[in-house]
Amino acid sequence: MILVLSPAKALDYRTPPTLAEYSQPAFLEQSRILVDRLRCLSPAEIASLMKISDQLAVLNATRYAEWAEPFTPANAKQAVLAFNGDVYDGLDAASLSADDLHFAQARLRILSGLYGVLRPLDLMQPYRLEMGSRLVNERGRDLYAFWGDRITAAVDAAVRAAGASVLLNLASQEYFRALLPQQLSVPVVQPVFEDWSGGRFRVVSFFAKRARGLMARFVLVNRLTEVAALRDFDSDGYAYAGQPAGDGVLLFRRRR
């Protein structure tokens, strides 16, 4: 199987990488187009576009101004080691072995508003640009229009290269919208993580994000390739609860 994850807003460029090996993003020419567009925006316009504070807007304006090729370990970091949000807390990539990361390089793809698709070891310079941002560009009114079917084609190429039979969607709805499932050569499997809260089982965003990272780690460490093996996922107390909705949905529940 091939896994897709969302990126994270939080980044860690202070901790040294655990692996010297790296690769280059496939869509740097496209990223450069977006960076040139973003450089035209003032900090106030960035704050409005991304709905962030003035301080964060200035930080990201500086990032766009400093974004430069070539990407090297001196000015960039491997994507899976640079992202630092809830999903990546569950994944805990820094504790993965070199063999785990090599397996991830072939099987895991990170969807990105700026970089399109990243392999785990692709070098990445710091940025903030969510896929849902309504950044008007030469191809349309938002990033979905900008990327078109490029992301889908890249993910499907990974599916074919790995001989995978399924795409495991561990990304958020915002990022998965950048994929066109009807153009994929394999079906999509969608795990859903529910916690007992308020007298019922429901999706709790914080816990669900971390669970997606935990499942990604479970797949990578155990070298899973078949959907049936996902039923054994039991990290942090989650347990398989069936396929109530069909259509590739796998339900996992936890009572804390």
Side-chain angles (χ1 to χ4, degrees):
M1 68 183 76
I2 293 293
L3 298 70
V4 291
L5 282 179
S6 302
K9 297 173 187 175
L11 302 171
D12 177 8
Y13 280 82
R14 294 183 178 180
T15 306
T18 55
L19 190 72
E21 186 178 343
Y22 62 86
S23 51
Q24 295 289 340
F27 289 124
L28 277 180
E29 290 184 7
Q30 305 302 317
S31 302
R32 192 183 312 121
I33 293 171
L34 288 174
V35 169
D36 287 343
R37 173 72 182 91
L38 289 161
R39 284 172 173 167
C40 296
L41 302 181
S42 68
E45 289 171 322
I46 292 172
S48 177
L49 172 70
M50 300 185 184
K51 298 178 176 56
I52 56 178
S53 68
D54 292 342
Q55 183 179 3
L56 282 175
V58 170
L59 170 65
N60 283 285
T62 301
R63 286 171 170 172
Y64 305 140
E66 294 177 348
W67 194 93
E69 297 175 77
F71 281 20
T72 71
N75 65 15
K77 188 177 182 181
Q78 299 97 324
V80 78
L81 299 173
F83 288 123
N84 193 33
D86 299 329
V87 171
Y88 294 87
D89 179 55
L91 177 59
D92 192 14
S95 70
L96 293 175
S97 69
D99 286 344
D100 293 335
L101 290 170
H102 292 150
F103 183 77
Q105 184 78 345
R107 297 283 179 165
L108 173 63
R109 294 296 180 267
I110 302 169
L111 310 181
S112 165
L114 181 61
Y115 293 102
V117 180
L118 290 163
R119 293 170 294 175
L121 299 182
D122 283 350
L123 289 178
M124 180 187 83
Q125 290 183 9
Y127 79 101
R128 179 163 177 160
L129 184 63
E130 295 175 50
M131 189 65 79
S133 299
R134 297 203 172 198
L135 178 68
V136 177
N137 59 81
E138 61 186 37
R139 295 171 190 155
R141 66 179 185 177
D142 56 24
L143 294 178
Y144 298 113
F146 179 84
W147 287 110
D149 63 358
R150 290 175 174 83
I151 291 174
T152 304
V155 170
D156 201 53
V159 166
R160 294 176 182 274
S165 60
V166 69
L167 179 73
L168 180 62
N169 177 28
L170 296 171
S172 67
Q173 184 176 2
E174 173 187 353
Y175 281 88
F176 192 69
R177 274 188 60 201
L179 280 171
L180 305 172
Q182 68 274 17
Q183 293 186 19
L184 293 171
S185 58
V186 294
V188 176
V189 170
Q190 174 70 64
V192 174
F193 302 96
E194 294 183 345
D195 279 80
W196 183 259
S197 176
R200 63 186 178 93
F201 282 109
R202 65 185 182 92
V203 175
V204 180
S205 179
F206 169 78
F207 295 127
K209 288 178 182 178
R210 188 170 190 278
R212 290 199 290 268
L214 288 168
M215 178 165 279
R217 182 182 180 88
F218 179 75
V219 171
L220 299 177
V221 169
N222 292 289
R223 309 289 191 270
L224 302 186
T225 58
E226 301 298 329
V227 172
L230 295 174
R231 298 173 185 173
D232 294 329
F233 175 75
D234 60 358
S235 299
D236 270 19
Y238 284 99
Y240 178 65
Q243 298 177 263
D247 299 326
V249 174
L250 300 180
L251 180 61
F252 295 85
R253 284 176 166 170
R254 176 178 69 167
R255 287 181 182 268
R256 291 181 293 109

